[in-house]
Amino acid sequence: MSFSTKKILFGSSWSLLLHISSLLLCAVVHCTISSTSAILNSGGLSFVRYPRKRCHNLSGVLEKSRRSNVVKCERRCKKTRQCLSYQYESDRRVCRLLPGRKKPKKAKPKERKKFFTCGVAEEKDPPTAGPTGRPSVSASVSPTVSAASYPRTLWGEEDFAPSGFVSYLLGKEINFRSDSSAPDAFGITLSRTAFIGNTAVDDSGSNVVDVVVDVQSVRTHEHLFSGYESQLILFFAPFGTYAPDVDQDDNNFGEFKDAVVGMVRHKIYSSLTNPMDHTWFDAYAGSASRASYKKRLTSGFSLRIRRDGGSFTAYYRVDDWVPIGDALPLPEMYAGVPLQIGLRVKKEWNAQHDVTVRATVLEGGATSDVPSPPSQAPTALNETWTRIKPRRDDRAAACPAASSHGDAARRYAPRGIGGGGAMAGLSISHLSDLWFVGTDMGTLFRSTDRGRAWEAVSHYETGFNARLKSTMPVGFTTRPEVLLFASCYHELSSTYPCVAQRSVDAGLTWTPQNVTGGSATTRTGEPVLDHFVRHWIPSLSEGSGYVLAATEGGMYRSQDDGATWSAVPLPHAVSYSPRGTFLDESVDPPYVVHANVNGTYVWRDGAESDVVRIWDAGTARGGSLMSFAGARSAATGRLTLAFVDSDATACDDIGHEADCGYVSILSEIISAEDFFAAESFDFRKTSQRSFRVVAAAEDAAVFYATGGRSWPQARGTTVWKSTYNSLTDGFDFGVAFLQADVDNSYALWPADKLDYSAVGLDVGYWDAGYYTFAVNPVNSSEAGGSGNFFLHVTRNGGDNWESPFTNHADYCHSNGNRLPGQRWRSTGIEMTSVRWIKFNPHNVTSGFASVADIRMLRTLDGGDTFEISGGTKSGLVGINTLYDFAFA
């Protein structure tokens, strides 16, 4: 998660006073434009210059630079607005201009320093204080038009006004580089000239401005495998835009998008656990379009944006130009406005980046110089105050609650909109109405009415590990009240021990359980798992006591619903690295069909020495297995087994290779004994791509396939339902759910098939593939999963999908339509951090709450219902989290 630092003050019941405080001192990047201008206007700068030895050879490893180069760097700083100090990088002969007074730092003897401050501007008395606040972005004079010829290379400070971490290299190259962890440590360069545009050569368009950026190199430290690499952005800005208008950090990036005419950005995906070997491109001009390239692009490619009258088009090029979606319509006011050309970096969680580019204007027509930014007195704190008259709330009272969650019996009851944080590990009982789901805030939630209302399990009893990919769902046994659970970190070690637990009261309390038989314990004496538990496989015969635990290091068996365990005597090559297990209970003892990364095996319980391999991933086309599921229909005797291989060509059309393969299916009417005795096994490889297959163990005619978490552009949220077709003796696949359709302008799944939620409508539907996906073992119509922020379940085989973490409170006023800006009630799943909740002293039924990642919640009825304040239609849309506010 990432957080912004925003502060809001609300006025009395008659007015609102918003205080956006960026907490930036005037020696820091975003605030220096006014103070520097004032200093320059009062007579220029003089510098304290440091000795060459300290400046150029501080650590003894850098070559000594020519003094003339240092002098040139100082002169550039004197001529450049915002520059208060300069640095010279000796090994690359790069001059870096800085907006703050940064003095040299002492280096350790063996520490290699690349950047050294050579001169720092002397302090001067500030001018008389004037009005505080941010400089106006409006040009104060009319543009002066001049002719220009094309193509035209843009480079250097004659063409660009730099800000922050940007420098100009030899060969007309522009370099954005930062090794800082500060969220605002990135560079912006904005053209000093605006391009009015000209008629296209073939007279097919008007006001054409066409610019290309050739990317020489991109280094975003992807070797750190963060998955949050910085992104290069090329953009158009309207005439009269200055660096402070487009310097928003990651948490406020929505404000940047609102400030520009159109943009395109490039991002390399990389992750330690899911190496996503591709690059995506995102274009935006009031609406969004995306494209993806199947390899990581770190050099030798180009970005391009073009304004043609009332449309904006973005392209990328490796060999040939490829449009990034369709042309995006522009508001009428941007159809003919002169455009400035900008480049910047969007920093995410991973701080470092080093990007080198060349910029060329292909077409631009006549040009006009952009006026210098207005001067303004410096302040110690950059503050923006806006008084807002709150809109009257003339809505009728919220609709009656469908459920009270048993509030009458509670001293405290959950309140909020429901959801808002990451969820994973949905589990559905086959013997009772128990459901469970975990969250990245460490809480396991429990429902006793099949997901309609939820309550948190006490952290004193158990927790859900924040590493959602590593933690497995709650497991069930042959008794409805007896449960199993093992919430583990991503590794098993003395630092991160994992303890399996067992509950005998339907999940209210939990006790440690030794499953793998090891002798290691925690400091408090709890038995530690020797291997990760990947699946709990209970018998569907109620009361039999039979449960299997498939772990990374072997399989374990219990005959008493998990009270005691013993190792199943299988070769390690059969039992390690499990991918799925099916218990065929059509006979007694049952047959076990088990898949691991290298193949699929079958044996009869108690006769493990007779294990038979029915699929060998080492010799079969498609490689190792990623997922496996099995089912048998008692009525027909049909047995169905399915797995997903790792044939990466399955995802060639979406430019992706990881976590993707083809589904193979074996399905026939055959007894367990005859299947075990068969000489060959006919798995048919289908053309269906997937990452995971899941089935209800008692329904061999239906199973589900889902996308992978690393699939690009929300494609991983796809759920396919496969049903047996007796006419073709095969399975037909159809899309049963897709949260957002990337191939259709990110259209949401239809409202008549998906119950939308407040977070999705007012913050945005952005999710990856599912961490896990669950199907009721005895009812294939009941299934669901979560990829992060949206838990979606179906109770009718995929025809409709619910959001069981929230209840719509305006259903009776909108014909059941769920829309942005409406009111909601929580079903009990509240997992985001609430920093505060405060009620208006002038009207105690009106209150606000600061909630991590989803801005701020508002209630006007004393906490009965809540809505997201700062939704998609508000001025707060670019803010991630609000940290404080007060009533004035």
Side-chain angles (χ1 to χ4, degrees):
M1 285 185 232
S2 57
F3 303 95
S4 63
T5 54
K6 296 295 181 183
K7 196 172 183 180
I8 291 185
L9 278 86
F10 284 91
S12 70
S13 57
W14 299 279
S15 65
L16 296 177
L17 189 62
L18 285 137
H19 171 199
I20 310 298
S21 171
S22 53
L23 299 178
L24 297 171
L25 297 180
C26 283
V28 186
V29 177
H30 301 283
C31 186
T32 54
I33 184 167
S34 58
S35 58
T36 306
S37 298
I39 293 173
L40 287 175
N41 291 337
S42 62
L45 298 174
S46 59
F47 288 86
V48 176
R49 188 181 299 168
Y50 289 87
R52 292 179 67 217
K53 182 177 181 180
R54 187 173 186 185
C55 179
H56 307 298
N57 206 24
L58 225 159
S59 61
V61 297
L62 297 180
E63 65 183 17
K64 291 189 176 182
S65 302
R66 295 174 56 191
R67 184 173 181 80
S68 60
N69 290 338
V70 179
V71 172
K72 288 179 182 179
C73 191
E74 181 175 305
R75 287 174 179 170
R76 284 178 58 193
C77 188
K78 286 184 176 181
K79 293 178 180 179
T80 303
R81 291 183 181 277
Q82 306 173 43
C83 183
L84 292 178
S85 59
Y86 59 88
Q87 296 175 333
Y88 191 80
E89 185 183 357
S90 301
D91 58 348
R92 294 179 61 186
R93 288 181 288 182
V94 173
C95 176
R96 196 176 213 25
L97 308 184
L98 303 175
R101 291 182 173 86
K102 296 187 179 294
K103 297 180 181 180
K105 295 180 180 179
K106 292 183 179 180
K108 296 178 181 178
K110 295 184 178 180
E111 181 181 0
R112 185 176 188 275
K113 288 283 186 180
K114 288 190 175 182
F115 297 110
F116 301 98
T117 304
C118 298
V120 178
E122 293 181 327
E123 297 281 357
K124 290 199 174 186
D125 294 333
T128 303
T132 61
R134 191 175 192 158
S136 170
V137 301
S138 302
S140 58
V141 297
S142 300
T144 301
V145 178
S146 59
S149 59
Y150 300 94
R152 173 180 171 181
T153 300
L154 298 182
W155 178 80
E157 293 176 20
E158 291 186 0
D159 291 326
F160 282 116
S163 175
F165 292 71
V166 60
S167 57
Y168 302 109
L169 313 180
L170 299 178
K172 303 293 185 179
E173 292 180 343
I174 306 168
N175 178 247
F176 298 89
R177 178 171 176 176
S178 172
D179 293 315
S180 170
S181 60
D184 58 354
F186 58 86
I188 301 169
T189 189
L190 195 61
S191 67
R192 299 183 186 273
T193 301
F195 297 83
I196 298 174
N198 65 338
T199 301
V201 175
D202 58 1
D203 293 326
S204 61
S206 60
N207 297 321
V208 174
V209 180
D210 197 343
V211 61
V212 171
V213 166
D214 297 311
V215 181
Q216 308 303 303
S217 66
V218 176
R219 185 169 181 260
T220 57
H221 291 237
E222 63 267 18
H223 64 276
L224 296 179
F225 299 107
S226 72
Y228 292 90
E229 278 66 40
S230 299
Q231 304 156 35
L232 172 67
I233 298 175
L234 168 65
F235 62 92
F236 285 144
F239 180 87
T241 298
Y242 304 103
D245 304 313
V246 288
D247 66 359
Q248 294 81 3
D249 61 15
D250 180 42
N251 288 322
N252 303 294
F253 192 66
E255 295 177 14
F256 167 79
K257 293 167 75 174
D258 290 340
V260 303
V261 175
M263 53 151 273
V264 63
R265 55 179 167 165
H266 150 273
K267 180 172 181 178
I268 303 169
Y269 258 123
S270 179
S271 168
L272 179 62
T273 54
N274 274 321
M276 298 173 275
D277 193 11
H278 76 282
T279 302
W280 63 250
F281 304 93
D282 178 16
Y284 180 83
S287 56
S289 60
R290 287 187 176 182
S292 179
Y293 188 74
K294 63 182 178 181
K295 295 182 179 179
R296 297 180 188 175
L297 295 176
T298 57
S299 63
F301 70 96
S302 304
L303 300 177
R304 177 181 177 186
I305 53 177
R306 177 183 174 95
R307 193 271 304 275
D308 189 346
S311 67
F312 172 88
T313 309
Y315 308 82
Y316 76 92
R317 176 179 65 187
V318 179
D319 299 312
D320 300 310
W321 286 114
V322 178
I324 300 172
D326 298 328
L328 301 173
L330 290 175
E332 184 177 350
M333 63 179 180
Y334 289 149
V337 69
L339 296 178
Q340 292 173 249
I341 294 166
L343 286 160
R344 62 162 288 180
V345 169
K346 177 180 182 289
K347 280 186 67 172
E348 292 199 358
W349 177 79
N350 190 2
Q352 301 95 339
H353 59 266
D354 189 344
V355 182
T356 303
V357 302
R358 289 195 186 102
T360 304
V361 183
L362 301 181
E363 296 181 71
T367 64
S368 60
D369 293 335
V370 179
S372 299
S375 301
Q376 195 171 34
T379 60
L381 185 65
N382 186 23
E383 300 176 337
T384 301
W385 297 82
T386 304
R387 186 171 295 275
I388 295 178
K389 190 77 172 179
R391 65 177 177 86
R392 292 180 58 185
D393 188 44
D394 296 325
R395 294 174 294 181
C399 308
S403 171
S404 65
H405 324 291
D407 287 353
R410 300 185 183 186
R411 196 169 179 182
Y412 293 96
R415 288 291 186 265
I417 57 169
M423 294 170 274
L426 175 68
S427 52
I428 301 173
S429 173
H430 61 289
L431 294 176
S432 70
D433 291 336
L434 273 176
W435 285 17
F436 290 88
V437 72
T439 72
D440 68 342
M441 298 301 288
T443 303
L444 179 67
F445 284 88
R446 171 179 177 270
S447 171
T448 59
D449 57 4
R450 312 203 76 76
R452 292 176 175 84
W454 301 80
E455 61 181 8
V457 177
S458 171
H459 280 212
Y460 290 105
E461 298 295 333
T462 193
F464 199 87
N465 198 287
R467 288 292 184 110
L468 302 185
K469 282 180 60 66
S470 303
T471 298
M472 292 296 104
V474 169
F476 300 98
T477 66
T478 69
R479 291 163 52 195
E481 75 280 5
V482 180
L483 311 170
L484 302 165
F485 189 40
S487 181
C488 302
Y489 202 64
H490 68 287
E491 64 180 52
L492 295 180
S493 64
S494 57
T495 305
Y496 302 109
C498 186
V499 176
Q501 293 178 291
R502 183 172 182 259
S503 173
V504 295
D505 56 7
L508 291 175
T509 61
W510 296 82
T511 56
Q513 188 66 45
N514 193 339
V515 174
T516 55
S519 58
T521 62
T522 65
R523 288 178 295 178
T524 55
E526 298 170 329
V528 173
L529 283 171
D530 294 326
H531 316 290
F532 285 112
V533 177
R534 294 305 185 196
H535 310 284
W536 306 100
I537 308 100
S539 165
L540 299 184
S541 177
E542 187 170 359
S544 67
Y546 186 95
V547 185
L548 293 176
T551 79
E552 287 288 353
M555 185 167 284
Y556 297 84
R557 178 171 48 212
S558 174
Q559 302 285 3
D560 52 12
D561 291 306
T564 59
W565 295 84
S566 60
V568 177
L570 288 165
H572 179 72
V574 173
S575 61
Y576 87 107
S577 193
R579 293 294 184 263
T581 306
F582 165 60
L583 202 58
D584 188 347
E585 297 185 89
S586 59
V587 294
D588 187 25
Y591 281 92
V592 182
V593 187
H594 175 74
N596 69 4
V597 65
N598 289 326
T600 306
Y601 308 86
V602 60
W603 67 87
R604 195 159 194 176
D605 186 61
E608 288 78 14
S609 59
D610 297 329
V611 60
V612 173
R613 179 157 57 187
I614 62 176
W615 181 264
D616 186 352
T619 60
R621 180 184 175 187
S624 59
L625 303 189
M626 292 191 293
S627 178
F628 169 84
R632 178 181 287 279
S633 296
T636 63
R638 177 169 296 279
L639 172 70
T640 297
L641 305 177
F643 64 76
V644 181
D645 62 26
S646 55
D647 186 345
T649 62
C651 282
D652 274 356
D653 62 326
I654 61 173
H656 191 63
E657 295 181 2
D659 297 337
C660 190
Y662 289 103
V663 177
S664 293
I665 303 172
L666 181 155
S667 185
E668 57 184 302
I669 297 175
I670 188 172
S671 69
E673 293 91 342
D674 290 343
F675 178 77
F676 180 72
E679 296 183 359
S680 62
F681 303 90
D682 184 20
F683 281 92
R684 301 178 186 178
K685 190 170 185 174
T686 72
S687 60
Q688 177 62 48
R689 68 165 168 250
S690 180
F691 167 70
R692 175 190 294 106
V693 286
V694 188
E698 291 191 347
D699 188 350
V702 174
F703 68 90
Y704 297 87
T706 77
R709 280 199 55 75
S710 66
W711 287 18
Q713 302 166 326
R715 297 179 192 269
T717 64
T718 310
V719 178
W720 292 273
K721 183 180 179 182
S722 181
T723 54
Y724 177 70
N725 186 332
S726 59
L727 298 177
T728 62
D729 191 28
F731 280 78
D732 298 329
F733 289 87
V735 176
F737 181 64
L738 175 57
Q739 185 171 283
D741 187 357
V742 63
D743 297 317
N744 186 23
S745 301
Y746 282 81
L748 296 180
W749 199 243
D752 61 340
K753 296 182 178 181
L754 170 63
D755 289 342
Y756 297 150
S757 60
V759 176
L761 292 171
D762 287 313
V763 179
Y765 276 101
W766 48 285
D767 245 350
Y770 305 95
Y771 289 107
T772 58
F773 194 85
V775 179
N776 188 328
V778 297
N779 180 6
S780 62
S781 295
E782 199 170 59
S786 173
N788 248 350
F789 302 100
F790 304 101
L791 172 64
H792 291 132
V793 300
T794 179
R795 303 176 196 271
N796 56 9
D799 291 340
N800 301 95
W801 295 82
E802 302 173 14
S803 301
F805 51 89
T806 189
N807 279 326
H808 189 205
D810 273 322
Y811 62 89
C812 60
H813 304 310
S814 59
N815 295 321
N817 295 321
R818 299 183 174 212
L819 304 171
Q822 292 185 325
R823 294 167 289 189
W824 306 81
R825 293 185 179 93
S826 174
T827 63
I829 302 183
E830 294 294 332
M831 79 292 288
T832 53
S833 297
V834 178
R835 187 175 178 85
W836 43 252
I837 182 168
K838 302 178 183 180
F839 284 85
N840 191 334
H842 306 281
N843 180 4
V844 294
T845 63
S846 172
F848 297 84
S850 168
V851 185
D853 292 337
I854 57 174
R855 309 182 190 110
M856 183 169 62
L857 303 184
R858 179 178 75 162
T859 179
L860 298 176
D861 51 21
D864 179 39
T865 65
F866 281 85
E867 59 191 293
I868 293 180
S869 183
T872 56
K873 296 182 178 180
S874 81
L876 304 180
V877 67
I879 296 172
N880 177 279
T881 304
L882 297 171
Y883 277 80
D884 199 10
F885 91 120
F887 293 98

